[in-house]
Amino acid sequence: MNKMITNSMKAGALALVLVAASGCQTKEIDEAKAAATKAQQDAAAAQATANQALSTANAASSNAAAAKSAADNAQSTANQALQAAQTAQSGVDATNQKLDRMFKQSVSK
């Protein structure tokens, strides 16, 4: 009878160990699922941040292109103004030379 009691106690202890082990595994599985869910949420948040950064970079690139176009137009206008100023200066120089010649002619008479 002792052997039967010992075997029953061994079986009970084994059952208790199995129940405890399965409880630990369930807890570990739940923890792993929670970690996986958190990792998915973190990845989704990182993707959203990356998408927003890409959108911001694209907008900045577009703004830079518009600014370059405006700068190119301003440079073209400045070049035209410089050319007009140089032409005007040439006219003024020619007029001054003409006036000098006229003054010298009037003085020499």
Side-chain angles (χ1 to χ4, degrees):
M1 180 152 189
N2 273 344
K3 189 174 182 183
M4 195 170 169
I5 292 174
T6 303
N7 286 340
S8 294
M9 289 184 77
K10 285 181 183 179
L14 181 61
L16 182 62
V17 167
L18 288 175
V19 168
S22 68
C24 290
Q25 285 179 342
T26 302
K27 182 179 177 185
E28 289 173 0
I29 290 172
D30 289 343
E31 288 174 356
K33 284 181 182 178
T37 301
K38 176 139 178 43
Q40 286 177 336
Q41 291 171 346
D42 290 347
Q47 183 64 45
T49 301
N51 289 342
Q52 185 178 10
L54 178 61
S55 176
T56 302
N58 287 339
S61 176
S62 177
N63 289 342
K68 183 183 182 319
S69 176
D72 289 344
N73 288 339
Q75 182 64 49
S76 176
T77 301
N79 289 342
Q80 290 172 357
L82 176 62
Q83 186 177 7
Q86 287 172 340
T87 301
Q89 185 64 47
S90 294
V92 167
D93 290 343
T95 302
N96 282 341
Q97 287 175 359
K98 190 175 185 181
L99 287 172
D100 283 345
R101 281 193 310 267
M102 289 173 55
F103 180 73
K104 286 179 185 178
Q105 284 178 354
S106 69
V107 170
S108 67
K109 287 187 180 182

